[in-house]
Amino acid sequence: MTTNNEVTVGRTIKRKLVLPLLAGFLAFGVLIAAFGFNGTAFAVPLGGLGDFYVEFDELQGDGFKLLPQMGETGESDSEPLVRNEIDEVTIQGLHIYKDLPLPGTDKWVRFHVESGGEAEISGLIQDAKLIDADLNFGDGLSIEQQNTEDFNENWQQHADSIEITDASIVTDYLFQEFVNLEDAKISTEIIDEPEMTDDGH
Amino acid sequence: MDNKEARIAKRQEKREQKRQQRYDKVVQGSKFKQWRSKRPFWGATLTLLAGLIILYIPLQLYAIALIPGSFVFVGFLFAGLILIVGILAYIYPQFSTVFGIIGMFVSILSIMGALGGFIVGTILGIVGGAFLIAWDKEEVPTSGDNQKKSRKSKKNHKPKKNPKVANTV
């Protein structure tokens, strides 16, 4: 650092700071815009925020797998859930929403994510507390059981394809490897009380 | 015209005084302050912080991150690279510009695979990278008359042939 009579002093040159900052944020904006215009995102996780609701008119999926899962929910650190894994999904009329208390009031705010057109998802993983829907399994429906301590491996249901209609799903974790939402719309709404299903979820 | 020159000279003098005060603070400051002044501390720290925040998402998804071809696995790589860049910027301050460019670039790319640490990591990475690029160091003589102190930029400074004259760390 210091020698006989010299000291090294670092400093930030303001003029040199502005250009990379602008260039960085511009590149970031371009990337966001490119994905935003297509409604495309990669590796989107949604979890750790308690229960949220997923509704849609129709889902067509390939490579379906259903298995038991333990996970964190809005009320507990570890609760039994149902894990759905689908390789390729096409959804019509997708609507995801989450209710949160508005601080300082007795009102609630609801965050909506809607797809006006078709939603395409690859590598979907969903942990659900309640599935209320019409299910129609395609070819290759099979149920596998294994004598193992690992509850994930203990019981599994597979199907080559699945069709789900008029679904309302109480979800606690959602992950998508790739998602493309056509005509995506994100909005908020003030509501009096949060959504509860008939089953008390 | 003379007035203008005088004003410019006065402004330069003020700037010089401010710089001098800063150098004096470093010389008289603690060991940590002296260590900090030798490297792009804030740029490296922000980059390191960005790496940690970006790493949060792949860590949360580690169960599926090890699936080959998974985007989350890419998220791990990006976050790790940003962390390495942040640490190396402390160790090799002379390459701060290169580290800044790499850190910034990877932070932006981390939107894919790690969601850019909920965007916060990406923004910190951009700011940290810019600080790394804009950082420079000077060697200032500390003894003798303050008025005669000279500065020279170290980043692009070539060592002199005579080692006795090239009095560096």
Side-chain angles (χ1 to χ4, degrees), chain A residues 84-124:
Chain A
N84 296 300
E85 292 182 13
I86 312 178
D87 294 341
E88 296 294 333
V89 183
T90 309
I91 304 175
Q92 304 286 344
L94 177 67
H95 178 201
I96 299 173
Y97 61 94
K98 167 75 187 166
D99 298 336
L100 288 171
L102 204 58
T105 66
D106 56 353
K107 297 271 184 189
W108 289 67
V109 61
R110 179 170 290 176
F111 294 91
H112 297 275
V113 178
E114 289 169 273
S115 171
E118 201 172 73
E120 286 174 28
I121 301 170
S122 293
L124 174 75

Side-chain angles (χ1 to χ4, degrees), chain A residues 176-189:
Chain A
Q176 297 131 12
E177 194 119 297
F178 165 87
V179 58
N180 187 351
L181 300 176
E182 251 180 35
D183 298 329
K185 196 174 118 188
I186 298 170
S187 59
T188 57
E189 175 193 5

Side-chain angles (χ1 to χ4, degrees), chain A residues 49-95:
Chain A
L49 42 82
D51 298 347
F52 55 95
Y53 294 82
V54 178
E55 291 181 350
F56 52 82
D57 299 330
E58 188 187 339
L59 178 149
Q60 297 282 349
D62 291 326
F64 172 75
K65 194 161 96 176
L66 185 139
L67 55 151
Q69 169 74 7
M70 292 294 285
E72 189 181 340
T73 69
E75 294 90 37
S76 157
D77 285 345
S78 183
E79 201 167 300
L81 300 166
V82 175
R83 170 161 285 192
N84 296 300
E85 292 182 13
I86 312 178
D87 294 341
E88 296 294 333
V89 183
T90 309
I91 304 175
Q92 304 286 344
L94 177 67
H95 178 201

